[in-house]
Amino acid sequence: MPASVSPVNLRRTLALGLAGLAATAALTACGFNYPTDRVNNISAGANYRDGTVDILNAVIVSKEANSGTFIATFVNNDNTDTVTLQSISGDNTEIGHVDLSQPLPVPPNGLVNLANTGGIPVNGTFELGQFVTLTFQFDDGSSVPLDVPVVLDAEQWAGLDVSTPSPSTTDSPSASGSPPTASPSASPTG
C-alpha cells in the first residue's frame, strides 16, 4: 500500500464509491415514462388519441378489392358535451366514397363502436393489406387524418364487411332459371 493512502482514507473512498454505485443503480431503476406506463394497444387497427375524440382500432374490413366497411371505436373524452362526427372523406385516390348517411354523435364520456352498429361502407381503388388515408371531420372543428389498414373479413372481423355480398352466397340452380324438377312423392297414384 502506498504511504500516502491511509487505511482510513481507503475505507472512506471505498465506502463513497460503493454508495455512489448503489445510488446510481437506484436512480437508473427509477424514472419516468416506463414502457409499461404507456398505452399499449396491440391490434392491426390504427389509433388516434390526441383530440377530444379518440379513434381506436380503425380498419376497413373487406371481402374483395375496392370496397369494404369502415370499423372503429370513437371515444369522447369530453365529460359534458356530445361531439358529432360530421363526415369522413378519403384522399380521392384510394378512397372514392364513404357512405356516412347521417352524422354520428358520440355522447359525453362515452363511446360508439361501429362493429356493433354495422359500420360505414366505403369504396375506391384499394386492396387487402394496403393503408388508406381517411379524414374525420367533427362538429367541434377538429379534423383528423388517419392512415387506416384494409383487413380481410375473417377471424376477429368476420362478418363485418356489409358493403359486398359474401363470396359463399351463390344462386341455386332453381333460382338461375332452370325449371324445377318433380319429386318422386309428387307422382300420381293409380
Side-chain angles (χ1 to χ4, degrees):
M1 181 179 306
S4 63
V5 178
S6 71
V8 171
N9 285 339
L10 181 62
R11 279 185 259 155
R12 185 177 299 149
T13 303
L14 185 59
L16 287 173
L18 288 174
L21 282 175
T24 301
L27 290 175
T28 58
C30 297
F32 301 101
N33 203 18
Y34 285 121
T36 54
D37 288 342
R38 291 184 233 143
V39 173
N40 185 14
N41 185 13
I42 300 173
S43 68
N47 295 307
Y48 172 81
R49 295 179 183 269
D50 293 332
T52 303
V53 176
D54 293 343
I55 305 170
L56 305 177
N57 203 19
V59 294
I60 295 176
V61 180
S62 180
K63 292 177 190 161
E64 60 186 38
N66 304 328
S67 68
T69 302
F70 174 74
I71 300 291
T73 300
F74 294 93
V75 180
N76 186 352
N77 296 311
D78 191 310
N79 291 325
T80 56
D81 295 326
T82 296
V83 178
T84 301
L85 176 64
Q86 296 292 98
S87 66
I88 303 174
S89 59
D91 59 1
N92 291 324
T93 55
E94 290 101 5
I95 300 294
H97 179 70
V98 179
D99 187 16
L100 180 62
S101 57
Q102 59 187 6
L104 181 68
V106 184
N109 204 27
L111 63 89
V112 174
N113 184 346
L114 295 179
N116 297 334
T117 63
I120 300 169
V122 297
N123 62 41
T125 56
F126 55 85
E127 57 189 41
L128 293 174
Q130 185 176 349
F131 280 78
V132 296
T133 302
L134 295 175
T135 301
F136 303 87
Q137 186 69 42
F138 295 95
D139 67 349
D140 66 354
S142 61
S143 180
V144 177
L146 187 61
D147 291 333
V148 177
V150 180
V151 298
L152 181 63
D153 184 351
E155 297 183 16
Q156 71 261 31
W157 296 291
L160 294 177
D161 182 9
V162 297
S163 69
T164 56
S166 172
S168 64
T169 57
T170 58
D171 291 336
S172 64
S174 61
S176 65
S178 61
T181 57
S183 65
S185 62
S187 62
T189 56

